[in-house]
């Protein structure tokens, strides 16, 4: 069963990770959804697939009134990211969905109308939702060709989509990375295969190294804190990714 766990709180600002679900069927990749809240303003990051909508909705409802969620941030177009969109829109037809302009004609295949979507330009933008002031940070080709991460300067938190993801074996269900070297083994193959461009990777590492960060929150696997964030950026910068390494095994 998914639960919403508070990972940041200061004043009225809170972040929740709707993570991990040991009871999900084996054939679904496990995902983390994130909810950022400031009083009655809230945004949901990568709400997940339609298959897990009931689990995500009930986990959020235990901690926060989902009627206050005004926006959905979709880092990219994948089914595990945002195929639940039509179900969220059934609950609240006024929801806005923020996504790359590149996918603005594709994601509506999951649901929504012209009024639903707010296109993010390639250079990123500020996303303002009531008291929330967040920044869409470019992460193109990591792995999607139109891809954004979401930075909250108030929480020093970066939601990093598939970057930082680890496919952890059963029994390793901890919310946070506790032993970086042991953890990162489960991230290596994922990044080598899914991250398509070494140039994009170096660009991202330079950009993110400049951010003031306490938490790096991926869409799969455990959350990086403190010094493990710099360890991850350095590890990723050194890793050969994409076409150099990722010819599928025959
Ligand atoms: Fe993805
Ligand atoms: Fe993913």
């Amino acid at each position: 069963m998914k639960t919403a766990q508070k990972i940041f709180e200061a004043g009225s600002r809170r972040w929740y990770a709707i993570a991990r679900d040991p009871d999900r069927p084996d054939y679904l990749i496990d995902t983390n959804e994130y909810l950022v809240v400031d009083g009655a303003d809230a945004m949901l990051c990568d709400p997940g697939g339609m298959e897990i909508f009931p689990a995500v909705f009930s986990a959020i409802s235990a901690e926060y009134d989902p009627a206050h969620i005004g926006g959905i941030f979709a880092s990219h177009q994948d089914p595990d990211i945002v195929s639940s969109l039509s179900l969220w829109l059934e609950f609240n037809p006024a929801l806005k969905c923020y996504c790359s302009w590149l996918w603005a004609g594709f994601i509506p295949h999951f649901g929504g109308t012209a009024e639903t979507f707010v296109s993010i330009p390639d250079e990123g933008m500020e996303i303002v939702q009531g008291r929330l002031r967040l920044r869409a940070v470019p992460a193109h080709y990591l792995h999607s060709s139109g891809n954004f991460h979401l930075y909250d300067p108030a929480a020093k938190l970066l939601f990093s989509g598939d970057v930082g993801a680890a496919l952890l074996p059963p029994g390793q269900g901890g919310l946070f990375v506790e032993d970086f070297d042991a953890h990162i083994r489960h991230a290596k193959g994922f990044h080598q295969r899914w991250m398509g461009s070494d140039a994009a990777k170096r660009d991202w590492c330079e950009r993110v190294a400049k951010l003031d960060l306490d938490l790096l929150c991926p869409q799969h696997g455990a959350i990086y804190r403190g010094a493990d964030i710099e360890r991850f950026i350095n590890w990723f910068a050194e890793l050969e990714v994409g076409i150099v390494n990722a010819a599928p095994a025959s």
Side-chain angles (χ1 to χ4, degrees):
M1 196 176 87
K2 272 184 174 292
T3 55
Q5 299 176 62
K6 201 187 297 170
I7 56 172
F8 173 84
E9 181 167 28
S12 53
R13 178 69 53 99
R14 281 170 282 152
W15 276 82
Y16 293 95
I18 295 92
R20 319 269 290 285
D21 187 1
D23 302 326
R24 81 192 188 288
D26 285 349
Y27 56 82
L28 285 178
I29 188 168
D30 202 13
T31 55
N32 303 323
E33 295 71 40
Y34 295 93
L35 180 70
V36 54
V37 164
D38 203 318
D41 302 311
M43 180 167 306
L44 185 56
C45 303
D46 285 2
M50 61 191 305
E51 183 70 19
I52 62 160
F53 172 82
V56 173
F57 191 86
S58 72
I60 290 173
S61 300
E63 299 293 332
Y64 188 76
D65 182 353
H68 293 318
I69 298 172
I72 281 176
F73 173 79
S75 62
H76 59 290
Q77 82 292 0
D78 272 345
D80 67 322
I81 300 296
V82 67
S83 68
S84 61
L85 180 61
S86 63
L87 299 171
W88 282 102
L89 287 166
E90 254 177 57
F91 172 68
N92 178 5
L95 271 173
K96 294 289 182 198
C97 178
Y98 298 85
C99 65
S100 164
W101 70 273
L102 200 64
W103 298 116
F106 293 74
I107 292 179
H109 282 273
F110 291 138
T113 66
E115 285 71 47
T116 307
F117 295 94
V118 180
S119 289
I120 307 173
D122 277 342
E123 65 271 25
M125 67 181 216
E126 294 289 319
I127 296 177
V128 179
Q129 179 104 39
R131 280 184 278 185
L132 297 172
R133 197 170 200 94
L134 309 166
R135 195 193 321 159
V137 176
H140 307 307
Y141 297 98
L142 298 173
H143 63 90
S144 169
S145 46
N147 196 44
F148 288 98
H149 298 162
L150 194 66
Y151 180 55
D152 180 0
K156 300 182 182 177
L157 182 154
L158 182 70
F159 167 60
S160 61
D162 282 326
V163 173
L167 304 178
L168 299 170
Q172 292 196 22
L175 189 55
F176 296 100
V177 174
E178 303 293 350
D179 178 341
F180 183 84
D181 292 336
H183 172 85
I184 209 68
R185 290 201 303 267
H186 304 294
K188 186 177 177 188
F190 183 92
H191 286 77
Q192 285 178 318
R193 181 64 193 263
W194 284 101
M195 303 301 155
S197 162
D198 202 62
K201 179 204 69 175
R202 278 185 268 117
D203 187 50
W204 182 91
C205 289
E206 276 174 32
R207 185 176 297 117
V208 171
K210 290 180 195 145
L211 297 176
D212 192 6
L213 284 178
D214 288 337
L215 293 161
L216 181 80
C217 300
Q219 191 233 353
H220 309 281
I223 295 168
Y224 303 80
R225 295 180 289 193
D228 281 339
I229 297 172
E230 191 181 342
R231 280 190 196 104
F232 174 76
I233 295 169
N234 292 339
W235 171 86
F236 192 31
E238 293 295 315
L239 188 71
E240 279 193 36
V241 301
I243 198 71
V244 174
N245 252 359
S250 54

